[in-house]
Amino acid sequence: MIRLVTTIALGLSLLSPAAWAETLTTSAGPVEVTEIVRDLDEPWAFGFLPEGGVLITERGGALLHIRPDGTRAEVSGLPRIAVGGQGGLLDLLIPADFAQTREVVFSYSRPQARGAGTAVAVGRLSADGRALENTRTIFAMEEGTRGGRHFGSRIVEGRDGFLYVTIGDRGDDDSAQNLAIESGSVIRIARNGGVPTSNPFTGTEGAQPEIWSYGHRNPQGAALDLQGNLWVVEHGARGGDEINRVEKGANYGWPVISYGRHYSGLRIGEGTAKPGMEQPAHFWDPSIAPSGMMIYSGALWPEWEGDFFVGSLKFGYLSRLEAGSFAEEEITGDTTARLRDVREGPDGAIWFLSVGNGALYRMSPAERS
């Protein structure tokens, strides 16, 4: 893709940006991608604070508070985190009522007797932004395998006020079909960790009551669409990365059905379809290694309203998928190396985290001459 790299001097926007930007061509015209925060160590997620600034998680266990003037502080008060493989400090959610409660929700890999499992915690951000206070773990999955893979771990606040959390199969394929453990599922819980009585398996003997849907492989992106429906994007094996609309009690088939193959080249399960198992809304072959996902409001680009934006870890681009058809546009440049998270900012700009560059970027319409 044609791109122009320019050096610029910028004043304050939401944060104090670094002194350069990249202009990329897209279907909606030229866009400017500006580096906002640099020198990040394996960043995983970020969220916007209503008073300005952002919080950023680093997988190695650091929670960073970046103030509107660009200065940063590491936030204390985190629980003990099992850092290893794909595990560590993972997703971050700043709830809609943060201005009243100052609560922050985050996910992490929690040490367990058999290794580590996905967990969710809540803490109150201190007035100076330097500490989480009264931090408590509100959910921890049943103990699974010792492997360091497939923690899933995105958190979405539903319009019903509950938390939806993705959990990967932890590298144990068959566990995604086992309702006795939360591996390979999307769970739904209250902010205090309680289980909503309307969850689909609360009356099923032996099932974990937090489970909302199951049969997922490793969903590392999740977002609400403009109607409030929940979608996830998940890693396949060799091919078969999927986007799924998440429905109550639904089985998404892993590892019984898949459009991918094992890394050995062998076929997965029984094929691509089976009665009682959901089909993906979209799949990629070859795999792009999708991570964070956002569904866009159309604030700055009306032509992109309702479109899906997904980061690619493997090929290093921002995927824009048209609502309905899922026709894909690859937005790529020097700034899009191994994208881990993508979110819409309060200003309607599209922000994303690059693991490859260790940086947070803001994408906005470029000035036209």
Side-chain angles (χ1 to χ4, degrees):
M1 177 170 289
I2 298 172
R3 59 186 182 270
L4 173 66
V5 179
T6 59
T7 301
I8 59 175
L10 293 174
L12 286 175
S13 53
L14 290 183
L15 301 173
S16 294
W20 71 277
E22 176 179 52
T23 301
L24 306 178
T25 57
T26 75
S27 60
V31 299
E32 187 170 79
V33 181
T34 306
E35 183 183 75
I36 302 295
V37 184
R38 62 175 61 170
D39 297 326
L40 298 171
D41 184 5
E42 204 166 347
W44 215 94
F46 67 101
F48 301 96
L49 294 168
E51 65 260 30
V54 297
L55 296 179
I56 301 174
T57 63
E58 293 180 330
R59 193 184 62 79
L63 175 62
L64 304 178
H65 179 193
I66 315 298
R67 296 182 177 87
D69 64 1
T71 59
R72 70 179 74 187
E74 185 168 344
V75 180
S76 64
L78 298 176
R80 190 161 69 94
I81 298 170
V83 178
Q86 297 170 1
L89 181 59
L90 302 172
D91 202 20
L92 173 76
L93 170 70
I94 298 175
D97 66 357
F98 175 86
Q100 291 76 46
T101 67
R102 297 193 64 81
E103 286 192 337
V104 175
V105 184
F106 60 94
S107 61
Y108 69 104
S109 51
R110 185 186 193 193
Q112 295 178 327
R114 296 186 60 196
T118 303
V120 180
V122 177
R124 183 182 183 278
L125 186 66
S126 62
D128 63 4
R130 291 181 174 273
L132 287 182
E133 302 167 340
N134 190 30
T135 304
R136 65 272 187 202
T137 296
I138 61 170
F139 167 82
M141 66 176 292
E142 292 295 306
E143 295 188 16
T145 65
R146 293 184 183 275
R149 297 183 292 155
H150 300 182
F151 290 91
S153 220
R154 288 293 172 194
I155 311 169
V156 172
E157 184 176 27
R159 290 188 180 177
D160 54 12
F162 296 121
L163 303 178
Y164 294 80
V165 184
T166 71
I167 302 176
D169 67 7
R170 298 291 289 106
D172 179 10
D173 296 354
D174 292 337
S175 68
Q177 292 294 318
N178 181 4
L179 292 174
I181 189 169
E182 299 94 345
S183 299
S185 72
V186 174
I187 65 164
R188 185 175 77 147
I189 56 175
R191 279 262 289 278
N192 63 2
V195 177
T197 58
S198 55
N199 275 12
F201 302 109
T202 54
T204 302
E205 185 177 357
Q208 294 300 320
E210 295 91 348
I211 293 175
W212 183 256
S213 64
Y214 64 109
H216 301 281
R217 185 174 183 268
N218 188 26
Q220 282 199 2
L224 298 181
D225 65 21
L226 304 188
Q227 292 73 45
N229 302 304
L230 179 64
W231 296 76
V232 299
V233 60
E234 50 193 285
H235 287 253
R238 201 176 80 179
D241 296 343
E242 297 182 355
I243 291 179
N244 287 298
R245 178 174 167 177
V246 177
E247 302 284 358
K248 177 180 180 178
N251 180 353
Y252 291 85
W254 178 258
V256 180
I257 60 173
S258 174
Y259 284 88
R261 286 182 172 268
H262 290 294
Y263 294 113
S264 66
L266 295 176
R267 190 179 76 164
I268 294 171
E270 301 175 16
T272 59
K274 186 173 182 176
M277 295 183 176
E278 304 296 319
Q279 284 290 297
H282 175 76
F283 71 92
W284 285 270
D285 190 6
S287 296
I288 69 166
S291 193
M293 178 171 69
M294 175 269 291
I295 301 174
Y296 188 59
S297 73
L300 296 184
W301 295 276
E303 57 268 59
W304 289 348
E305 180 179 351
D307 288 356
F308 291 62
F309 286 80
V310 178
S312 168
L313 291 164
K314 182 177 181 180
F315 295 120
Y317 66 82
L318 181 61
S319 172
R320 183 187 67 83
L321 298 153
E322 291 184 7
S325 70
F326 289 95
E328 185 175 33
E329 174 184 13
E330 298 177 9
I331 300 172
T332 183
D334 293 334
T335 53
T336 62
R338 281 185 59 79
L339 295 190
R340 174 64 75 181
D341 198 11
V342 55
R343 308 201 181 199
E344 181 175 347
D347 57 351
I350 295 172
W351 297 56
F352 55 82
L353 273 178
S354 165
V355 179
N357 295 330
L360 173 66
Y361 297 99
R362 176 181 180 268
M363 187 174 87
S364 59
E367 295 289 336
R368 298 175 186 266
S369 57

